[in-house]
Amino acid sequence: HGAGGVIFGYLTFSLPLTVFFIWGLLMSLKKAGLWPLILLLLIWVAAFTPIFHVFFTGRHLFPILPVIIILTAIGLKDITSKVS
């Protein structure tokens, strides 16, 4: 358990989405225009960690879900464009 397990479980839903999320995260690191998303994700994780240890609930994950969905979509688009 722990914050890492909760974040991984809530934000990635399943193994295929996990692959797309990680790929999207890596692709975002290469693109200069997407650094604000990465910075937002890092700030949120830093702010979420103490909150999680106090309340021990995953409901505080909901604000970051749009960023996770965007990064997953980037990974999905990049991987599927390479397959076609």
Side-chain angles (χ1 to χ4, degrees):
H1 287 220
V6 171
I7 291 170
F8 187 79
Y10 274 88
L11 299 180
T12 56
F13 304 118
S14 65
L15 185 59
L17 289 181
T18 303
V19 172
F20 295 132
F21 168 71
I22 292 171
W23 190 264
L25 189 62
L26 293 174
M27 291 298 104
S28 298
L29 293 173
K30 292 181 180 181
K31 298 177 183 179
L34 296 175
W35 272 101
L37 280 178
I38 303 301
L39 185 60
L40 177 65
L41 186 64
L42 292 174
I43 291 171
W44 181 84
V45 167
F48 173 73
T49 303
I51 291 171
F52 180 79
H53 286 292
V54 171
F55 297 109
F56 204 69
T57 180
R59 71 175 182 228
H60 304 288
L61 296 171
F62 294 127
I64 201 66
L65 283 177
V67 174
I68 300 301
I69 291 169
I70 290 169
L71 292 173
T72 304
I74 290 170
L76 181 63
K77 179 186 172 285
D78 190 60
I79 288 175
T80 55
S81 68
K82 290 180 180 183
V83 171
S84 298

